[in-house]
Structures are given as C-alpha cells and as structure tokens.
Amino acid sequence: MTGHTAPTGVDSNALAEEDRDRFSGLPARQQPDWPDREVLRKTLDALPPQDLVSRASVAELRRELANLDAGGGLILQLGDCVENIETDVNASTRNMIAFLTHFRSHLRTRTGRHVVGVGRLAGQYAKPRSADHEIVNGVSLPSFRGPIVNSHQPTPQARRPSPDRVALAHAAAQTSYAAIADYHRATANLDPIWTSHEMLLLDYELRYLRRSEGDGHHLATAHWPWIGARTRQLDGAHIAVAATLSNPVSVKIGPDTAPEEAAELAAVLNPRDEPGKLTFIARLGHRNTDRLGPIVRSVHRRVEHVHWISDPMHGNTVQGVHGFKTRHVEHIITELTQFQEIVVAHGRRPAGLHLEATPEDVHECTENSHEPQDPARYRTLLDPRLNPEQTARVLSHWSV
Ligand code: PEP
Ligand code: MN
C-alpha cells in the first residue's frame, strides 16, 4: 500500500538550526523540569534518526481527510489517555488495532459512512497536568507527566524526569509502528489505521521535525498530532510548530476558549483554508456545550474548512466517591448528543468523535451511578477510559 511504504527519511533534512532557535525562543507550557538538559540533548542526539511515519503516508491521510466532507465520512479517534510502555507493547498495540478496527466497522455499518480510524497510539506518552504536584496515598509528589518523562510509580525518585525514559519511549514507538506495519501487510486491502498523539514534549518532537521545501515541515512521530487544551496559546511554541506542519493538525477546544481565539487559531493553522488540514476537538463538558455555538460561528467567519469532532471525555472528569477519578457515561452521552445538535444547528457537519477507550474489561467510567471501586479493574495510568461495552453504548448515540 503506497501510504505505508517504509519510512526512509533520515537526518539529512532535519530541522535547520534557525527554526529550532525560533521555536525554543517562544514560551512553551507543560515542559518537564529536566535535572540536566545536557544529558537530555545527548539522549536526543543518540536516538535513531529514521522517521517513524513517512511523508507518503501523511500525504495519504491528508487526501483522505480532504475528501471526507464530499463522501460524508466520519473520524473515529480513540485509545488510552496515556500508553503504558512498561508492558508488552507489541501485544497492546495489536489489541488496540483490533479494538479500533472493530468499532470502525461497527460505526460504518450503523451509519453507512466511511470511517477514518485513528489511534491515540504509538506515541501517546507525554501528559499535561493541571498541577505540578499531586497527592498520592497522602503524600505530595511531582506529577506523573507520562512515561516519556517520568514513572507513574508513587516515589520521589520515580517521579524525577529522566532522559533515559525518552529513549525507552522512542523504542516503544518503534515497536508499535512495527506492529502497525504488520497489520497493514496482513490486511493490504483494508483501510489503514492512522496514529495520533498530543504534540506536547517539544524537545522530542523537534528531533523528528523535518524540513521541506514545499508543503510545510514533516513531523515524523505521528500521522496526525494534536495540540492539547493547555498548550494552545496563540503566542506559544506548540502552535508555532503546528503552524509549520504538512501533517493534518487538531486542537482541543475547552470551555475557556474565546470564540475569537478559536477563529485566530483556525486562521493560523489553516491559512490556505484547505479541506482536511485542521480539526477542532470540542471538549467542553456536558454543562458547557452552550459555548460551542458561538465558537463555531466565529471560526466559520474566518475559514470554511474545519472538521468538528467531539471529545466528550475531558470536560466530564470528576472525583469518584471511592477515590478514583471517573467519568459518568450519561454525561459523556449528553455532551456527544448536544455536540451533534449544535454543530448541525449551525449549518455544519459533525465529523466524528475522540474517545479514551480500551479493549480491556476495566471499570473506570461510571454507569448508572455504579462507581469504580475495584483497583484490579481500574488500570488506567491517568484518565478513566471506556471499556468495550461502554464504548458501544456511547457510539450508539452517534446519529448523524
Ligand atoms: C488528553 O487528551 O488526554 C488531554 C489531556 O486532553 P485535553 O488537552 O483536552 O485536556
Ligand atoms: Mn486524558
């Protein structure tokens, strides 16, 4: 399959010094406080230079997204909040691929629409946190920032940012991409699955940003990066990097997004107003969906081509009574339903959904007030995920 030719790009066209300097001069939120930046630099320099994703595959995804509206197609993006790299990564990748392709065909069968399948996969390793410290078992510790930075184990030593983990995470990504390539070889006539993660850890991402003459820089760590709700500042480094990319880009839109700010983001990230280039992922919370209408109106006064998808997870996180962070499936469904109604009411097309979900039989999200309480069935490293049954229930509320 042309889109999944083995990546060949190596360091020959790595990002030029002046680009790197421009980005590193801009404010960047949510970056770890590395104990020794020189060690980090050496680790990054020693990483294998090969692209994890090829330019050809990114171009294929761009074409698929550019044609999405014409065919009324949908986007189904799902996976873990954060991938666990201290496990059998080949097996967990294969399981996630099977889960994603199962629900992709489920949604396709039910809606009769083409569905683009995107995993939070093969690089979802860095996490933004609302606080620098968190209380675990009554003790204050530096927050877990994802396995590419520190360990989730609750000790001060484990929570120290370690460049060794960058190398481990990169090796996990290679293992995941090898499993994805195996899948594509075995199913040559089926639709490809695409990878995505939050483009958060700039030192790492810049290591795999490639120069190009034509259509923007190539980010070789994921087909489809997104910018999180905490790092989408218009004057910040994350948006500046995203604005240079040839990859399609998404941005999370939280309840604190001013309509004018969203319009400006659209103009900066999709300056040529190309179909499929930019996706906004609304994650407002079921009580804040009334903020979506003004945002949609404001954005479409500036650009025509934006895909709107719903992340009904991240605005609906609550502290459960048994001490586990949870999300109520009923709130998730309310937000998803209102999202579709509001986008349609504004004359636009709801283009799909973004979920945190796992093939494992976990109990992390709450249904009918039945809150998680069994540590053996609460396995997420960070945010609560839908199990397969809950995923099916949420998807059954996709109605457009
Ligand atoms: C996430 O997707 O895991 C995440 C942190 O999302 P947001 O940026 O929307 O809070
Ligand atoms: Mn999350």
Side-chain angles (χ1 to χ4, degrees):
M1 188 179 316
T2 53
H4 290 279
T5 46
T8 51
V10 291
D11 249 359
S12 58
N13 55 1
L15 191 64
E17 285 299 322
E18 64 266 28
D19 288 307
R20 250 185 248 278
D21 290 349
R22 182 163 71 81
F23 297 135
S24 47
L26 295 171
R29 293 198 188 163
Q30 297 284 345
Q31 304 306 293
D33 195 4
W34 298 103
D36 186 340
R37 282 201 62 86
E38 188 53 23
V39 177
L40 175 69
R41 196 188 57 74
K42 287 196 176 123
T43 305
L44 290 167
D45 287 349
L47 290 178
Q50 286 80 12
D51 291 356
L52 290 162
V53 307
S54 68
R55 290 171 195 261
S57 59
V58 169
E60 186 184 333
L61 172 61
R62 279 288 301 273
R63 281 192 296 277
E64 194 172 349
L65 292 174
N67 293 326
L68 198 69
D69 286 338
L74 300 174
I75 296 158
L76 177 61
Q77 183 171 28
L78 58 73
D80 294 308
C81 178
V82 54
E83 292 174 87
N84 189 347
I85 63 170
E86 281 141 68
T87 177
D88 181 343
V89 171
N90 176 281
S92 61
T93 304
R94 283 189 285 114
N95 291 342
M96 189 56 82
I97 292 170
F99 182 67
L100 175 58
T101 54
H102 169 80
F103 280 109
R104 181 180 63 183
S105 31
H106 169 101
L107 190 60
R108 180 169 44 210
T109 305
R110 210 171 49 73
T111 61
R113 297 172 184 277
H114 171 66
V115 182
V116 181
V118 190
R120 293 174 58 112
L121 188 62
Q124 178 51 19
Y125 306 141
K127 297 309 299 176
R129 301 306 304 272
S130 13
D132 286 341
H133 285 79
E134 61 191 339
I135 309 285
V136 187
N137 306 327
V139 182
S140 171
L141 291 169
S143 295
F144 171 51
R145 292 189 170 274
I148 195 168
V149 175
N150 58 6
S151 162
H152 66 280
Q153 299 296 341
T155 69
Q157 185 53 34
R159 291 296 172 89
R160 254 171 84 87
S162 163
D164 287 349
R165 302 195 66 90
V166 176
L168 282 176
H170 180 270
Q174 285 183 306
T175 302
S176 271
Y177 276 106
I180 293 168
D182 283 347
Y183 167 80
H184 286 134
R185 264 192 296 276
T187 60
N189 295 319
L190 297 182
D191 292 330
I193 64 141
W194 306 105
T195 62
S196 69
H197 64 252
E198 179 171 351
M199 192 189 75
L200 181 68
L201 188 63
L202 288 174
D203 288 307
Y204 177 73
E205 301 291 351
L206 290 177
R207 174 73 179 83
Y208 291 96
L209 189 64
R210 310 299 188 204
R211 276 210 108 161
S212 66
E213 298 309 317
D215 187 32
H217 294 334
H218 172 60
L219 181 68
T221 59
H223 297 111
W224 191 357
W226 80 81
I227 306 296
R230 291 167 190 78
T231 51
R232 53 151 187 73
Q233 296 74 34
L234 278 158
D235 60 353
H238 293 86
I239 292 297
V241 174
T244 68
L245 297 181
S246 62
N247 308 61
V249 170
S250 307
V251 184
K252 295 282 202 94
I253 296 294
D256 59 345
T257 313
E260 194 39 49
E261 218 179 339
E264 194 58 35
L265 282 168
V268 167
L269 295 174
N270 193 9
R272 287 180 291 187
D273 206 355
E274 295 166 273
K277 169 68 194 170
L278 177 64
T279 297
F280 279 143
I281 306 173
R283 37 82 85 222
L284 299 161
H286 73 290
R287 291 201 175 84
N288 302 319
T289 53
D290 58 340
R291 303 194 190 175
L292 183 59
I295 294 174
V296 173
R297 271 199 300 275
S298 170
V299 164
H300 285 294
R301 279 196 292 266
R302 292 288 285 280
V303 300
E304 171 62 23
H305 294 294
V306 170
H307 284 136
W308 296 95
I309 75 175
S310 170
D311 164 0
M313 314 295 295
H314 284 90
N316 293 311
T317 314
V318 292
Q319 193 61 38
V321 289
H322 305 294
F324 293 112
K325 207 158 58 146
T326 191
R327 292 161 170 156
H328 291 255
V329 174
E330 295 79 8
H331 296 167
I332 292 169
I333 290 170
T334 300
E335 177 163 354
L336 184 63
T337 305
Q338 291 180 1
F339 165 84
Q340 295 169 77
E341 289 169 4
I342 293 166
V343 173
V344 168
H346 286 78
R348 299 287 159 176
R349 201 176 72 84
L353 15 46
H354 179 122
L355 303 174
E356 285 185 344
T358 173
E360 295 175 36
D361 179 32
V362 299
H363 182 198
E364 298 171 0
C365 290
T366 297
E367 259 180 296
N368 307 318
S369 306
H370 181 43
E371 294 214 7
Q373 54 180 331
D374 176 4
R377 291 188 68 211
Y378 193 96
R379 298 184 210 140
T380 183
L381 296 184
L382 208 52
D383 285 345
R385 303 160 298 176
L386 300 165
N387 63 30
E389 239 176 80
Q390 294 169 333
T391 305
R393 187 169 160 213
V394 169
L395 284 178
S396 75
H397 290 267
W398 185 268
S399 59
V400 286

